[in-house]
Amino acid sequence: MGGFFFKSKNPKELVDWYGKYLGLKTDDYGSTFWWKDKDGNDCSTQWSPFADDTTYFAPSEKQFMQNFRVNDLEKLLKKLSEEGVTIVGDMESYEYGKFGWILDVEGNKIELWEPMDKVFQ
């Protein structure tokens, strides 16, 4: 799991509440959970509230979006496209990883992330 994103009436207030009452180490984006993969590499999972009016989850109308960590995003997107899975938009690359989006069978938008975890450390 790369992350869990959800809509919130007041993301800043919610992030502050989780930091204060549940002890989450938070920043403007939510909270990052660090863990080790099977090879001992540092990895992260992000918990992030988004504003209620965000269009980031579109075309899905759900109040949440899942993010999954993947290897070789370009190859995966090509394979999924060949198998008839709906690809949303174009792959995007940043210093912290590559991103692609698909729709599941119910129309839920899923973010796929080929991470560069070391950037966050």
Side-chain angles (χ1 to χ4, degrees), residues 14 18 113:
L14 191 63
Y18 275 84
W113 176 36

Side-chain angles (χ1 to χ4, degrees), residues 32 34 42-44 94-98 113-121:
T32 304
W34 288 97
D42 289 326
C43 299
S44 64
Y94 300 92
E95 68 179 54
Y96 45 89
K98 297 177 184 175
W113 176 36
E114 182 180 332
M116 295 290 295
D117 290 303
K118 61 186 173 189
V119 172
F120 298 108
Q121 299 173 356

Side-chain angles (χ1 to χ4, degrees), residues 8-25:
S8 167
K9 292 178 183 173
N10 188 331
K12 171 79 171 105
E13 181 179 55
L14 191 63
V15 165
D16 291 346
W17 187 93
Y18 275 84
K20 180 177 179 178
Y21 294 108
L22 295 181
L24 296 185
K25 182 179 176 187

